[in-house]
Amino acid sequence: HILMDKGIRIDYGSKIGKTIIFAKNKRHAERIYEIFGEEFPNLQKHGFCRTIDYETNYAQKLIDEFSDPTKMPQIMISVDMLDTGIDVPEVVNLVFFKKVMSKAKFWQMIGRGTRLCPGLIDGEDKKQFYIFDFCGNFEFFRMNGKGKDVLTTISVQQRIFNLKVQMIYKMQDIAFQ
């Protein structure tokens, strides 16, 4: 419910923006999908939320549909399929329902929300994205510097600002010049 209540919305607030939920395994993804269907049966009837993993038939077709701002699904529950290498500028919400042990992979996953998207939110350009971290990944990588629960001590806007600053800092490395 927190995603549907607090996530970035589009179409003048009428629907949640494109969202990736990172699940830890297929069973976990299916359970998230099941719960979503119980909570939002009318949305689920229209393919609002889908799961994708290495066993998904026609996975590329599903990714293409997710990449199209005019098509469903709006929410993709991914098991290692959308973590890296996908470019969907419309993604405005990332939900971490799994622990990520690789800092490089974690940054790649965050990168799914960093793509610019002109005119996305009621004619305005995408200026931010939200991260919902339910598994303490930020704390694990000590992104807040104090070892405290990031979710309760720093606002979402502050976390986004901090991420942008860290990304700018990292992009100054000679490897990116």
Side-chain angles (χ1 to χ4, degrees):
H1 261 279
I2 192 166
L3 169 67
M4 298 302 278
D5 292 339
K6 304 287 185 192
I8 294 177
R9 303 184 75 76
I10 60 170
D11 294 344
Y12 300 95
S14 67
K15 69 181 174 183
I16 196 77
K18 294 280 184 174
T19 299
I20 300 174
I21 298 175
F22 302 107
K24 63 182 176 181
N25 57 41
K26 182 179 178 81
R27 199 172 106 226
H28 185 228
E30 289 170 348
R31 183 65 184 135
I32 294 168
Y33 177 82
E34 208 176 285
I35 291 169
F36 183 86
E38 291 167 5
E39 295 292 320
F40 305 99
N42 290 338
L43 293 177
Q44 198 60 329
K45 275 193 296 190
H46 302 290
F48 199 83
C49 177
R50 299 282 307 271
T51 62
I52 188 167
D53 64 30
Y54 64 94
E55 293 179 349
T56 301
N57 290 329
Y58 307 106
Q60 188 58 52
K61 182 179 184 299
L62 184 56
I63 290 170
D64 291 344
E65 288 171 354
F66 180 65
S67 300
D68 186 333
T70 65
K71 293 185 178 177
M72 292 293 155
Q74 282 299 104
I75 299 172
M76 287 285 278
I77 304 167
S78 169
V79 180
D80 298 325
M81 291 291 289
L82 305 179
D83 295 5
T84 63
I86 183 167
D87 187 22
V88 181
E90 292 80 12
V91 169
V92 290
N93 299 298
L94 300 174
V95 180
F96 286 84
F97 269 144
K98 75 175 187 176
K99 190 81 171 158
V100 182
M101 304 306 284
S102 162
K103 193 169 190 175
K105 184 172 183 179
F106 184 57
W107 280 106
Q108 284 284 321
M109 293 165 81
I110 289 171
R112 304 311 96 211
T114 62
R115 307 305 194 262
L116 299 177
C117 190
L120 176 66
I121 302 172
D122 309 330
E124 296 289 320
D125 295 352
K126 174 180 164 184
K127 293 184 176 83
Q128 62 186 8
F129 64 99
Y130 285 178
I131 299 171
F132 299 87
D133 180 13
F134 294 102
C135 295
N137 292 294
F138 281 93
E139 183 178 316
F140 179 75
F141 293 114
R142 303 205 191 297
M143 294 208 164
N144 67 345
K146 298 178 185 172
K148 294 181 183 172
D149 184 3
V150 177
L151 286 174
T152 59
T153 60
I154 300 175
S155 71
V156 173
Q157 290 81 7
Q158 182 65 42
R159 286 189 286 152
I160 291 167
F161 176 79
N162 290 348
L163 283 172
K164 286 179 181 178
V165 168
Q166 287 183 359
M167 289 171 69
I168 290 167
Y169 176 77
K170 296 252 186 221
M171 294 303 287
Q172 291 177 1
D173 189 287
I174 193 70
F176 296 102
Q177 302 300 316

